Amino acid sequence: MKDFIKQAAHVRPSANQLRLLTETPFYAFIHFSPNTYTNLEWGTGDEDPTIFNPVNLDCDGWCEAVKSAGMKGVVITAKHHDGFCLWQTKYADHSMKKSPYKNGNGDIVKELSEACRRHGLKFGFYLSPWDRHSELYGTDEYNDYYKAQLTELLTNYGEIFHVWFDGACGEGPNGKKQIYDFDGYFELIHKYQPNATIFNDKGPIRWCGNEDGSSRHAEWAVVPSELCPNCEIQTEPGPLNGDLSYMYNMDENIGSLSNILYSKGLVFAPSEVDMSIRPGWFYHENEEPHSLDRLFDTYLRSVGGNTTFILNIPPKPDGTFDKKDVKRLKELGEKIRGSFSANLAEGKRITIEPYRGSDSQCTVEIDLEKEENIAYLEICENIANGQRIESFFVQRFNDGRWENKFEGTTVGARKIVRFSDEFTAIKLRIFVTASRDMPEFGKIAVY
């Protein structure tokens, strides 16, 4: 068992996974389709394409709003379930060709990808496998059609940082459900955009299990291979004989020691938290953006909880963002920057020592040199070498003794500890009480 736990400690991310987790953990989703004009969330596929007419399309304004929140990339719904394509595809007329926008010559994907480059944002796309318009859906030929469209998006719009698939699947006109050729889809992405990360229910970037911004109390990127067969197995099977076929992304403790011991092997598959700035994914005039507190809390629990965070902002029918959403994004960015701009531990002595000779427990002492007001602590493992920490305390030195202020579980790429009440301290200590191997730390910051 000890050998297996040591192996678990050294399950490593791919270069693409590492880049997303550490460089681009916060990015935007943009849901835009005929649904924007019909007030639906899932289109039927028989909408009149002439209703799609964003007369004031402002992709530069989108990018400015996204950047104001601190996001680093944008993912557009190039095609949602209704099958309407936001680009000039060669393979379907149910597309911008039939839109009045620019007399049928518009290309939303092109305009946004170019705007992203102007504003220093990464660009990605969502291509719904479910197509409620295509007569090919439910047949083997549909996969060829889908891959042809996927190839267009992968080859005509510059560097792609993220490709987003969901698992929605319905019946085609023939009454049969489509069997998606995800292996073939992935092969095209690896061929044309080898640096792109892929979101899919089964990895390499996996679904968090909900669409309301919730995250787990303990989030592991190292999970059983049964959960994410799209990822490379990096360990031997667990030492206990059992079965994890019941497991799904909605389960709470998928990476816990009690589960992985029954696995057929472990993979690295970080979670992505997704939610919309409003209750719906598409724009509905009667909805209001979520509160600043809810959005900031989601940021802390996702980006600050070993996941990435994709936040949707739906354009209005005229192609602009609602002013209320733009204001809320600016407020969110100001809140994030204001909370994490001044690292009180910068240049201070940080001492890391094994705890009483242990090879899997340690203490990290931070000497702030003078009394400081403490609101947050940021801890990062060197995730390139694996995720290891299972539990920890945060303590302050007060009246000659160490006093517990927070009890946590996993750390991973980034853990932002938000203390329930601000307090003052000269010294802080992170006491790692359980780890799968001696922790390796990256950034440690105090705010």
Side-chain angles (χ1 to χ4, degrees):
M1 185 178 296
K2 186 175 182 179
D3 288 343
F4 178 76
I5 295 173
K6 182 80 74 172
Q7 289 180 42
H10 293 267
V11 174
R12 294 174 169 85
S14 68
N16 291 351
Q17 290 172 324
L18 181 64
R19 189 184 309 112
L20 192 72
L21 273 172
T22 59
E23 297 179 12
T24 320
F26 187 27
Y27 40 100
F29 221 160
I30 294 179
H31 275 61
F32 199 30
S33 87
N35 293 349
T36 308
Y37 301 83
T38 60
N39 207 36
L40 297 175
E41 284 290 298
W42 280 12
T44 59
D46 58 4
E47 295 84 0
D48 183 349
T50 62
I51 65 174
F52 189 89
N53 188 21
V55 293
N56 295 316
L57 185 73
D58 186 13
C59 291
D60 286 297
W62 297 357
C63 290
E64 289 167 1
V66 163
K67 286 187 70 174
S68 77
M71 291 183 268
K72 303 295 185 183
V74 178
V75 176
I76 180 76
T77 54
K79 183 183 77 169
H80 204 257
H81 306 329
D82 51 62
F84 183 79
C85 302
L86 297 188
W87 78 100
Q88 292 287 327
T89 177
K90 297 177 182 177
Y91 302 99
D93 288 332
H94 194 56
S95 68
M96 296 302 297
K97 297 174 186 176
K98 294 295 182 70
S99 166
Y101 179 69
K102 293 191 174 180
N103 297 316
N105 295 309
D107 190 327
I108 307 293
V109 175
K110 181 179 180 181
E111 290 196 45
L112 180 56
S113 65
E114 292 176 349
C116 284
R117 283 194 288 274
R118 286 193 295 271
H119 292 271
L121 291 167
K122 299 179 181 181
F123 176 71
F125 62 84
Y126 163 112
L127 187 66
S128 172
W130 189 21
D131 190 323
R132 304 184 78 178
H133 179 83
S134 175
E135 293 182 354
L136 295 175
Y137 192 83
T139 71
D140 292 339
E141 289 78 11
Y142 175 76
N143 277 315
D144 295 330
Y145 164 74
Y146 184 89
K147 284 187 278 190
Q149 290 196 320
L150 179 60
T151 299
E152 287 182 321
L153 292 170
L154 292 170
T155 58
N156 292 331
Y157 298 97
E159 184 78 13
I160 303 298
F161 91 100
H162 200 49
V163 179
W164 213 97
F165 296 113
D166 65 23
C169 184
E171 293 181 354
N174 61 2
K176 294 182 179 180
K177 281 198 170 185
Q178 182 66 48
I179 298 174
Y180 299 136
D181 180 16
F182 278 115
D183 288 343
Y185 307 163
F186 282 29
E187 184 178 345
L188 288 173
I189 297 168
H190 296 324
K191 176 180 179 180
Y192 293 115
Q193 296 286 345
N195 294 325
T197 43
I198 303 170
F199 173 87
N200 179 268
D201 192 27
K202 298 179 180 180
I205 306 297
R206 60 181 169 82
W207 185 41
C208 68
N210 63 82
E211 295 183 346
D212 61 7
S214 298
S215 53
R216 293 174 181 82
H217 177 61
E219 185 65 59
W220 285 96
V222 178
V223 297
S225 58
E226 290 89 337
L227 188 73
C228 295
N230 294 333
C231 301
E232 177 189 359
I233 297 176
Q234 298 186 43
T235 70
E236 298 174 355
L240 301 183
N241 183 31
D243 184 87
L244 296 179
S245 59
Y246 65 86
M247 188 172 287
Y248 189 54
N249 274 320
M250 298 177 74
D251 297 346
E252 185 64 26
N253 296 311
I254 57 177
S256 66
L257 189 61
S258 60
N259 277 326
I260 67 172
L261 292 174
Y262 291 94
S263 74
K264 298 296 189 293
L266 301 179
V267 301
F268 196 96
S271 174
E272 178 188 84
V273 165
D274 58 324
M275 71 176 290
S276 184
I277 197 170
R278 292 163 169 255
W281 289 90
F282 289 90
Y283 184 80
H284 307 289
E285 190 175 6
N286 64 332
E287 293 182 348
E288 296 289 324
H290 295 306
S291 69
L292 175 60
D293 285 345
R294 178 173 177 184
L295 293 174
F296 183 63
D297 181 68
T298 303
Y299 176 88
L300 294 180
R301 290 185 293 101
S302 57
V303 175
N306 193 41
T307 79
T308 63
F309 180 21
I310 185 168
L311 176 63
N312 179 67
I313 311 99
K316 298 189 299 180
D318 72 349
T320 64
F321 281 169
D322 191 294
K323 291 180 180 178
K324 295 177 183 178
D325 296 349
V326 173
K327 180 175 181 289
R328 188 52 39 83
L329 290 171
K330 184 173 183 291
E331 291 170 345
L332 178 59
E334 289 171 348
K335 177 74 171 177
I336 294 170
R337 289 186 292 273
S339 299
F340 305 111
S341 59
N343 177 10
L344 302 175
E346 186 77 36
K348 303 300 193 301
R349 187 171 71 251
I350 299 177
T351 306
I352 303 174
E353 294 182 342
Y355 183 67
R356 296 183 177 179
S358 172
D359 61 0
S360 58
Q361 295 175 308
C362 70
T363 58
V364 181
E365 188 172 316
I366 307 162
D367 187 353
L368 299 174
E369 299 177 359
K370 63 184 180 72
E371 200 87 11
E372 298 280 10
N373 293 317
I374 311 298
Y376 304 95
L377 172 66
E378 181 180 359
I379 315 167
C380 301
E381 291 187 66
N382 179 14
I383 200 72
N385 286 340
Q387 182 181 359
R388 303 177 183 183
I389 296 173
E390 294 204 350
S391 61
F392 67 96
F393 292 111
V394 179
Q395 305 170 311
R396 73 164 175 173
F397 195 69
N398 187 41
D399 290 335
R401 66 184 182 86
W402 289 106
E403 172 185 276
N404 286 354
K405 299 299 293 183
F406 181 86
E407 182 177 354
T409 54
T410 51
V411 173
R414 181 181 291 101
K415 174 66 179 180
I416 298 177
V417 173
R418 175 171 51 178
F419 298 103
S420 56
D421 296 300
E422 289 192 22
F423 59 89
T424 62
I426 297 176
K427 291 182 180 181
L428 293 176
R429 184 168 75 169
I430 305 163
F431 185 0
V432 176
T433 53
S435 183
R436 295 174 178 179
D437 199 352
M438 184 57 69
E440 291 186 16
F441 291 96
K443 180 180 179 181
I444 296 174
V446 180
Y447 304 99

